[in-house]
Amino acid sequence: MVIVGDDPASRIYVNSKKKACAELGIYSEEHALPVSTTEEELLKLVEELNNKSDISGILVQLPLPEHINEENIILAIDPKKDVDAFHPVNVGKIMVGNYDFVPCTPAGVMELIAESGVDIAGKECVVVGRSNIVGKPQAMLLLHKNGTVTVCHSKTKDLKEKTKKADILVAAVGVPEMITGDMIKEGAVVIDVGMNRLADKKLVGDVHFESAEKVVSAITPVPGGVGPMTIAMLMKNTVKAAVINRTGLK
Ligand code: L34
């Protein structure tokens, strides 16, 4: 795990990842670098980790400080060690539908849906948000499970009209409590990927839980929903990476 700078949220997430590794008996090391780290220095560290045979997975916690180009760093990670599945090779594999690593947050959402016994095939799935980390891969994963997928974003006209049609609604916009109960279809399954810290330190999702709860058949809370699943899926990818890198088997 590589963390650059002192973003408090990133610190919490990386600590949780370290703890999960320890609990499972996965060896982990943390490389905490100062905010003044240059792109060149970070690239050098990634290269070193690429070449270390006892390291199966590399995770560079995002966001990175502004002076570092995230794309360059992601491109430098060996795709076989890319447990986030952010490298374009792994992104491409997801698009094609033949992949080793699934990005952790969308994978966690899929696991939640599957474990709840919800069948995705033929359902109206609406993803609100189109980030490379969540929205786009989420849409692909739902499509692979034969959902009818709509991706909404900041330029979408009449968002409510779209969300109201969703049997499965994934909110990944990053706007606190933006999706309210009146925007949700009766009986829908709602997955809240949002992780917004309000001024009073309260952590809320992208869904207004109190109004949504009255309408849905199932909904994930924040905290205690998608966040811990993200970490669980990272562990799954890491074990997979260890097997692939040591044996060449899948
Ligand atoms: N490289 N960067 C990389 N990989 C990732 O997979 C992430 N992400 C996102 C941010 N940057 C990343 C995470 O790890 C978001 N994320 C993440 C992971 C865990 C949790 C939230 C976001 C989590 O455990 N959330 C807790 C609450 C923690 C708190 O109190 O702040 C929850 O119960 O939702």
Side-chain angles (χ1 to χ4, degrees), residues 99 102-118 120-121 125 127 137-147 149 168 170 191 193 226 229 233 236:
Y99 43 85
V102 198
C104 303
T105 300
V109 170
M110 297 306 285
E111 196 73 25
L112 284 163
I113 295 172
E115 281 288 317
S116 306
V118 175
I120 297 168
C125 303
V127 179
Q138 190 71 71
M140 277 301 141
L141 297 182
L142 290 163
L143 186 58
H144 291 327
K145 291 286 177 199
N146 300 311
V149 184
I168 298 171
V170 180
I191 317 278
V193 180
V226 172
M229 288 305 294
M233 295 301 109
K236 192 174 173 182

Side-chain angles (χ1 to χ4, degrees), residues 19-234:
K19 192 162 157 265
C21 285
E23 280 169 10
L24 295 174
I26 296 173
Y27 168 77
S28 76
E29 52 186 48
E30 180 190 293
H31 296 265
L33 306 179
V35 68
S36 58
T37 303
T38 64
E39 187 172 313
E40 212 176 14
E41 287 166 332
L42 185 55
L43 286 169
K44 189 164 164 279
L45 172 62
V46 169
E47 200 47 42
E48 276 167 29
L49 296 170
N50 280 341
N51 294 325
K52 278 180 88 172
S53 59
D54 59 339
I55 297 292
S56 308
I58 302 170
L59 178 146
V60 179
Q61 188 70 23
L62 303 181
L64 288 168
E66 265 183 26
H67 64 276
I68 298 179
N69 182 321
E70 283 182 357
E71 206 179 334
N72 290 343
I73 304 304
I74 290 167
L75 275 171
I77 297 171
D78 181 346
K80 286 199 207 59
K81 296 191 177 187
D82 174 33
V83 285
D84 272 323
F86 290 169
H87 190 288
V89 163
N90 290 321
V91 174
K93 285 181 168 208
I94 289 154
M95 187 105 182
V96 174
N98 170 26
Y99 43 85
D100 303 316
F101 304 127
V102 198
C104 303
T105 300
V109 170
M110 297 306 285
E111 196 73 25
L112 284 163
I113 295 172
E115 281 288 317
S116 306
V118 175
D119 188 18
I120 297 168
K123 297 274 166 63
E124 292 292 335
C125 303
V126 174
V127 179
V128 189
R130 56 167 155 186
S131 70
N132 289 329
I133 294 183
V134 184
K136 286 188 211 170
Q138 190 71 71
M140 277 301 141
L141 297 182
L142 290 163
L143 186 58
H144 291 327
K145 291 286 177 199
N146 300 311
T148 303
V149 184
T150 304
V151 182
C152 300
H153 46 79
S154 53
K155 297 283 191 292
T156 296
K157 288 190 186 121
D158 202 353
L159 178 65
K160 182 176 168 177
E161 178 216 9
K162 311 280 191 298
T163 57
K164 201 81 187 170
K165 291 206 167 83
D167 301 309
I168 298 171
L169 180 63
V170 180
V173 247
V175 180
E177 301 178 320
M178 184 195 139
I179 309 289
T180 45
D182 61 309
M183 298 169 77
I184 301 170
K185 180 176 170 179
E186 187 80 38
V189 170
V190 177
I191 317 278
D192 191 352
V193 180
M195 197 62 53
N196 310 291
R197 240 159 270 268
L198 302 183
D200 62 2
K201 297 264 166 77
K202 194 177 167 227
L203 193 61
V204 299
D206 292 345
V207 179
H208 185 262
F209 192 90
E210 288 71 25
S211 59
E213 195 184 20
K214 299 188 176 77
V215 189
V216 303
S217 64
I219 183 167
T220 62
V222 177
V226 172
M229 288 305 294
T230 297
I231 292 171
M233 295 301 109
L234 174 65

Side-chain angles (χ1 to χ4, degrees), residues 11-26:
R11 176 36 69 201
I12 294 172
Y13 307 153
V14 169
N15 284 351
S16 301
K17 292 172 185 183
K18 273 187 347 197
K19 192 162 157 265
C21 285
E23 280 169 10
L24 295 174
I26 296 173

